Amino acid sequence: MKYLLLKHYRGGPTPVVDYEPMDRWAPEEVDAHIRYMNEFAARLQETGEFVDDQALAPEGTFVRSDGQGRPPVTDGPFAETKDLIAGWMVIDVESWDRALELAGELSAAPGPGGKPIREWLELRPFLTEPPTVTE
């Protein structure tokens, strides 16, 4: 079963550990966090559970169609920080319990002072088949 782990910029419920945004961390703290993420992905590559991942820049906006022949509508030059996704990882695991276990481990990536940030991650299963409609 494939799952998407979404890292939000300060999204989700209030963090257990209230930490400064990453752009205020010391360079060695950012390096430790990125190293943890890379080592986590490397371990999952070895077990065959890693599919893909990507970090995303904080810039972005919501876009929607405003009808044929009209320019797209945006929410402004910048989306609310809480709405932005910092990055994602796709995993392919045997069960929901394993996906929860890995999300919990990833949530403990180090932050300022090397302490686990215990960030909220959004865990979403891939839709494998459309639901069956019975009449």
Side-chain angles (χ1 to χ4, degrees):
M1 298 178 66
K2 290 185 181 170
Y3 293 90
L4 178 64
L5 295 166
L6 290 172
K7 291 176 61 78
H8 294 267
Y9 286 105
R10 307 278 275 168
T14 303
V16 175
V17 177
D18 191 21
Y19 58 90
E20 293 288 325
M22 189 180 277
D23 61 357
R24 296 186 194 154
W25 295 5
E28 61 273 10
E29 293 170 336
V30 173
D31 290 346
H33 183 82
I34 300 300
R35 186 171 43 258
Y36 181 95
M37 301 292 291
N38 290 335
E39 290 170 358
F40 181 83
R43 266 198 347 264
L44 295 185
Q45 286 174 338
E46 290 175 11
T47 64
E49 296 173 307
F50 178 85
V51 177
D52 199 4
D53 69 353
Q54 186 65 56
L56 301 173
E59 300 82 23
T61 190
F62 284 96
V63 178
R64 71 170 172 84
S65 168
D66 197 30
Q68 187 172 354
R70 298 181 62 144
V73 176
T74 69
D75 70 336
F78 305 104
E80 292 290 324
T81 301
K82 69 182 181 335
D83 297 327
L84 296 174
I85 296 172
W88 51 266
M89 178 179 286
V90 177
I91 57 175
D92 189 355
V93 296
E94 292 295 320
S95 68
W96 172 253
D97 288 340
R98 177 64 176 155
L100 286 174
E101 176 185 345
L102 292 174
E105 186 176 336
L106 189 58
S107 166
K115 296 179 184 174
I117 57 177
R118 298 186 186 130
E119 67 182 328
W120 287 97
L121 299 176
E122 186 177 351
L123 177 62
R124 299 190 57 184
F126 278 35
L127 182 61
T128 55
E129 296 179 20
T132 303
V133 177
T134 57
E135 296 185 43

